[in-house]
Amino acid sequence: MSWWNRKRAAQLAAAWLASRNPRAAQVKRLALDDVTPELDVYLGQAAYLQLSVYETMGRAGASAPTLSGRLVTGVLATTALERHRSIVAEIERIGEDPAALMAPHREAIDLFLERTSGADWYESMLTGYVTAGILNDLFGNLLRSLPAEVRQRLRTVFDAREEAAVVEELTARIEDDPQVGSRLAMWGRRLVGDTLLVARSALASHAREDQERLEPVWTELIAAHTRRMDALGLTA
């Protein structure tokens, strides 16, 4: 990660921590209409993110320590592929080329995945759980400000259908080896800054620097992230 990106990740992480302060409730939030990018940008980034999660989880499955772990990794991969296909269908419905809309986001997302790839299956699984969870929450929220017909067709795309299986498998592995839990708690905190950079890039360009008014957005995302870590018995 470059010096600038490390600085930006630290700034965003600090903003999220600050958003836990009751003062955030007094800040006038930016409306979703103010932060949602153009439809083609939204769809292109979301489609490439899901494609990348599918590919990453597909590779991670081979190193799973148990057969059940391999199966759950497959659940993460296939769910991401289902999401990708739904978004691609929407891109084609509006008459655009999926590859062309995804291309501008490729370099940044590939770098993000490289930084968050994890040292082993355990970290890769937590990456899929945490980063996909945060970004699915964000894209699901931004969806609410898109045209009604798009909202209707994509209304279930960013749900949390795969999370229960991931929680069950990772919890079992943590119970088998508590040291895994300590390591994953640290890894989960490491993931937040990089994921926030991607979350920020998903917002409309004119809204990205308005950190104070974006605090309520970060508050919602970090609260959901904390609940996910709590489900694993880990500290966010």
Side-chain angles (χ1 to χ4, degrees), residues 57-65 70 73 121:
M57 291 298 102
R59 290 190 295 268
S63 62
R70 190 169 183 175
T73 311
W121 176 85

Side-chain angles (χ1 to χ4, degrees), residues 72-146:
V72 172
T73 311
V75 169
L76 273 172
T78 56
T79 303
L81 183 59
E82 290 168 0
R83 290 181 175 128
H84 170 74
R85 287 174 171 168
S86 296
I87 299 165
V88 165
E90 190 62 32
I91 292 173
E92 293 173 339
R93 186 174 285 110
I94 66 174
E96 298 288 350
D97 175 24
L101 290 196
M102 289 190 288
H105 309 287
R106 180 175 181 176
E107 181 178 0
I109 291 173
D110 286 353
L111 287 173
F112 164 68
L113 293 172
E114 181 180 343
R115 293 195 298 267
T116 60
S117 60
D120 57 15
W121 176 85
Y122 299 97
E123 291 186 1
S124 294
M125 279 292 286
L126 190 68
T127 294
Y129 177 65
V130 167
T131 63
I134 290 173
L135 295 173
N136 285 338
D137 283 346
L138 177 65
F139 278 92
N141 287 337
L142 295 178
L143 179 65
R144 299 200 303 266
S145 66
L146 295 180

Side-chain angles (χ1 to χ4, degrees), residues 1-223:
M1 184 189 289
S2 69
W3 174 86
W4 186 91
N5 279 336
R6 287 196 299 271
K7 180 180 179 182
R8 173 57 69 182
Q11 289 172 338
L12 287 170
W16 278 11
L17 290 173
S19 71
R20 298 183 181 188
N21 191 297
R23 179 180 70 86
Q26 303 171 9
V27 177
K28 182 180 179 182
R29 72 165 54 240
L30 283 166
L32 287 173
D33 285 346
D34 293 330
V35 301
T36 303
E38 296 295 325
L39 179 60
D40 57 348
V41 175
Y42 172 95
L43 294 174
Q45 187 176 27
Y48 193 72
L49 274 167
Q50 298 300 334
L51 179 62
S52 299
V53 171
Y54 161 69
E55 293 172 342
T56 301
M57 291 298 102
R59 290 190 295 268
S63 62
T66 64
L67 181 57
S68 61
R70 190 169 183 175
L71 290 171
V72 172
T73 311
V75 169
L76 273 172
T78 56
T79 303
L81 183 59
E82 290 168 0
R83 290 181 175 128
H84 170 74
R85 287 174 171 168
S86 296
I87 299 165
V88 165
E90 190 62 32
I91 292 173
E92 293 173 339
R93 186 174 285 110
I94 66 174
E96 298 288 350
D97 175 24
L101 290 196
M102 289 190 288
H105 309 287
R106 180 175 181 176
E107 181 178 0
I109 291 173
D110 286 353
L111 287 173
F112 164 68
L113 293 172
E114 181 180 343
R115 293 195 298 267
T116 60
S117 60
D120 57 15
W121 176 85
Y122 299 97
E123 291 186 1
S124 294
M125 279 292 286
L126 190 68
T127 294
Y129 177 65
V130 167
T131 63
I134 290 173
L135 295 173
N136 285 338
D137 283 346
L138 177 65
F139 278 92
N141 287 337
L142 295 178
L143 179 65
R144 299 200 303 266
S145 66
L146 295 180
E149 63 274 14
V150 177
R151 294 200 308 271
Q152 178 63 22
R153 287 190 291 264
L154 299 183
R155 68 188 186 282
T156 63
V157 167
F158 300 107
D159 60 18
R161 73 194 81 162
E162 74 276 30
E163 290 188 359
V166 177
V167 169
E168 181 178 359
E169 182 62 26
L170 278 180
T171 299
R173 303 286 72 78
I174 291 169
E175 289 176 351
D176 290 342
D177 184 357
Q179 290 187 351
V180 169
S182 298
R183 180 160 63 89
L184 291 183
M186 293 180 62
W187 180 241
R189 289 191 287 272
R190 157 72 173 79
L191 294 171
V192 170
D194 285 318
T195 308
L196 287 179
L197 283 172
V198 177
R200 176 179 172 275
S201 74
L203 305 178
S205 58
H206 66 270
R208 293 173 190 169
E209 302 301 331
D210 198 344
Q211 291 297 339
E212 186 176 26
R213 291 182 65 200
L214 282 173
E215 280 187 6
V217 176
W218 304 143
T219 298
E220 291 183 16
L221 293 179
I222 201 63

